[in-house]
Amino acid sequence: MKDLDLFQSALGLETPWHVSSSSFDVEKKRLDIKIDFLPGSVFCCPQCGRERVKAYDTTEITWRHLNFFQHEAYLTARVPRVSCPDCGIIKLKSFPWSRRESGFTLLFEAMIMLMAKSMPVKSIAEMVGEHDTRIWRIIHHYVDQARAKENYSAVNTVGVDETSSKRGHHYVTLFVDLKIPKVIFVTEGKDASTVQRFNEDLVAHKGDPASITEFCSDMSPAFIKGVADNFVNAQLTFDKFHIMQVINKGVDEVRRQEQKERPELLRSRYIWLKNQDNLKESQRNRLAELSLSKLNLKTARAYRIRLSFQDFFNQPTALAESYLKKWYFWATHSKLLPIKEAAYTIKRHWDGILRWFTSRISNGTLEGINSLVQAAKARARGYRTIKNLTSMIYLISGKLNFDLPT
């Protein structure tokens, strides 16, 4: 097989396109492949779809292609503007091997998108010898294109949580379809307006706010207000993980105050906050010693209240509220101010906590996604813009369908 026939076959070119020549520069380590169309060829008008329109004039355009072994490869094509009787002189918008605006072939872009899921963009840019802004343009194009085709008409159960976008008080809020699960919307900030923007994006993707019947969030007043204002049919379930954080904070505050007078509590923080199954044997032994009733530690009493609340989620649905009422009475009569304050917080969010026994939803999936996002951010040493971070979240957690060659 001749080299031109080999390249023709490898690129998958069909009439009227063909490889007209190729050249290799040893010093520059560069392969150039020239593409042309046959004389008298006709095309389809990219604007109205009219067939068999003729070329008006031509220009040369070059695209970066996948490396040929360790050498850079480029495709240069003589591409026409077509003369359409209805639309006038029109540029062709795309070609079998590339998007016109890209500067890269489709196969090159497919490689970039595959690498971007697990590698920092800066590392990819250094590997392929391109500026990272060009790599980000590829990612933004395909993420935006894939999201535009998303259909959220079946979404009815949503989880929402924020994650840090950079150091300081800078956040993005993630909305997840908990049934699939996947990220369906990312927006800057963590106030009530983020929920409103999700409402608008949902409608733009054929979703119906009235169809959202379950929402899961932390106990943020902003999220509570946003859901109430924008999703009138949604019942709010407060995430178990964040509820336990409230109780743990109370226990830790009791310990912090008590250890000023009880030195045996020094360096014992995590044994009171971790689940017993996650403790090392030495930690379990120390916990048993500190929990002895004869020591009469306030922290040990707070810890027993914490364990009791944790067992709340194991109760039968019919007994859940009565169990919570008894726990609340115990906590508010414990004479431990931080525990009492935690109990008052539980009381203010009573219905959303009990809602778990009906919805059985939590933001555990979101916590996992947040971990992936923070890991990607750490590998990249942060992202220069919110748009870059947003596109990366969609790429790694959005389960988008990309129109890329395989």
Side-chain angles (χ1 to χ4, degrees), residues 49-234:
R50 186 185 183 101
E51 297 181 352
R52 303 188 62 78
V53 293
K54 294 183 178 180
Y56 176 77
D57 59 11
T58 63
T59 187
E60 280 196 345
I61 300 177
T62 298
W63 294 267
R64 173 77 184 274
H65 190 46
L66 295 176
N67 283 7
F68 181 71
F69 293 95
Q70 72 271 33
H71 309 298
E72 292 184 1
Y74 293 85
L75 306 185
T76 299
R78 189 173 70 96
V79 299
R81 290 193 300 171
V82 297
S83 178
C84 176
D86 300 321
C87 306
I89 308 302
I90 303 292
K91 293 180 180 179
L92 294 185
K93 293 182 179 179
S94 62
F95 305 92
W97 58 88
S98 177
R99 299 180 292 117
R100 186 183 182 105
E101 302 86 357
S102 167
F104 301 103
T105 66
L106 294 174
L107 285 173
F108 186 93
E109 292 180 335
M111 178 190 72
I112 294 298
M113 294 299 290
L114 181 64
M115 296 169 71
K117 288 187 176 183
S118 56
M119 289 180 62
V121 168
K122 186 176 180 181
S123 299
I124 297 172
E126 291 172 353
M127 182 179 294
V128 301
E130 296 287 348
H131 197 280
D132 65 344
T133 55
R134 299 194 74 195
I135 306 301
W136 277 116
R137 286 193 198 111
I138 294 173
I139 296 171
H140 293 325
H141 168 80
Y142 283 104
V143 167
D144 292 346
Q145 182 187 70
R147 280 211 76 239
K149 296 177 181 178
E150 287 285 274
N151 185 326
Y152 299 154
S153 59
V155 175
N156 56 38
T157 304
V158 177
V160 56
D161 199 8
E162 77 275 1
T163 191
S164 65
S165 58
K166 58 183 178 180
R167 288 183 179 179
H169 299 289
H170 301 280
Y171 299 89
V172 292
T173 296
L174 283 60
F175 294 82
V176 169
D177 181 347
L178 292 177
K179 288 192 173 179
I180 294 183
K182 69 174 185 178
V183 173
I184 56 177
F185 184 61
V186 183
T187 187
E188 187 174 5
K190 60 171 187 173
D191 57 14
S193 68
T194 61
V195 185
Q196 180 181 346
R197 291 196 289 275
F198 169 60
N199 180 303
E200 295 166 355
D201 187 79
L202 186 72
V203 172
H205 290 87
K206 301 180 181 179
D208 182 2
S211 296
I212 306 298
T213 56
E214 298 289 348
F215 237 103
C216 187
S217 79
D218 60 22
M219 291 177 282
S220 159
F223 289 155
I224 295 172
K225 182 180 186 304
V227 172
D229 290 347
N230 294 278
F231 295 92
V232 295
N233 293 332

Side-chain angles (χ1 to χ4, degrees), residues 79 92 103 105 114 121 192 200 205 243 245 249 283 310 316 325 348 378 380 403:
V79 299
L92 294 185
T105 66
L114 181 64
V121 168
E200 295 166 355
H205 290 87
I243 297 169
Q245 278 188 329
K249 183 179 178 181
Q283 291 175 318
Q310 191 167 320
K325 286 179 179 178
R348 290 194 298 271
D403 291 334

Side-chain angles (χ1 to χ4, degrees), residues 22-46:
S22 66
S23 61
F24 180 67
D25 190 314
V26 177
E27 292 183 359
K28 293 183 179 180
K29 296 182 178 180
R30 169 171 171 151
L31 171 67
D32 280 281
I33 301 171
K34 295 291 183 73
I35 298 174
D36 206 341
F37 59 90
L38 300 171
S41 297
V42 292
F43 303 88
C44 179
C45 175

Side-chain angles (χ1 to χ4, degrees), residues 218-319:
D218 60 22
M219 291 177 282
S220 159
F223 289 155
I224 295 172
K225 182 180 186 304
V227 172
D229 290 347
N230 294 278
F231 295 92
V232 295
N233 293 332
Q235 296 289 329
L236 189 56
T237 300
F238 294 120
D239 179 53
K240 290 196 297 182
F241 174 80
H242 288 94
I243 297 169
M244 286 305 305
Q245 278 188 329
V246 172
I247 309 300
N248 284 341
K249 183 179 178 181
V251 173
D252 194 47
E253 182 60 24
V254 172
R255 177 205 58 82
R256 191 183 67 80
Q257 294 175 8
E258 189 177 23
Q259 75 177 12
K260 296 175 183 178
E261 300 175 356
R262 302 294 295 266
E264 61 263 47
L265 285 170
L266 291 173
R267 294 184 294 277
S268 69
R269 180 186 183 195
Y270 292 106
I271 69 172
W272 306 108
L273 303 181
K274 282 186 176 181
N275 290 331
Q276 291 184 358
D277 292 342
N278 297 329
L279 294 176
K280 299 177 182 177
E281 184 177 356
S282 59
Q283 291 175 318
R284 285 197 295 271
N285 292 337
R286 190 178 182 203
L287 177 62
E289 293 173 1
L290 293 175
S291 298
L292 291 174
S293 58
K294 66 180 181 180
L295 293 179
N296 196 29
L297 288 173
K298 294 178 181 178
T299 304
R301 284 197 287 132
Y303 178 69
R304 287 192 289 273
I305 294 172
R306 170 192 179 272
L307 291 181
S308 178
F309 184 84
Q310 191 167 320
D311 197 43
F312 159 68
F313 292 104
N314 297 324
Q315 302 304 308
T317 301
L319 302 178

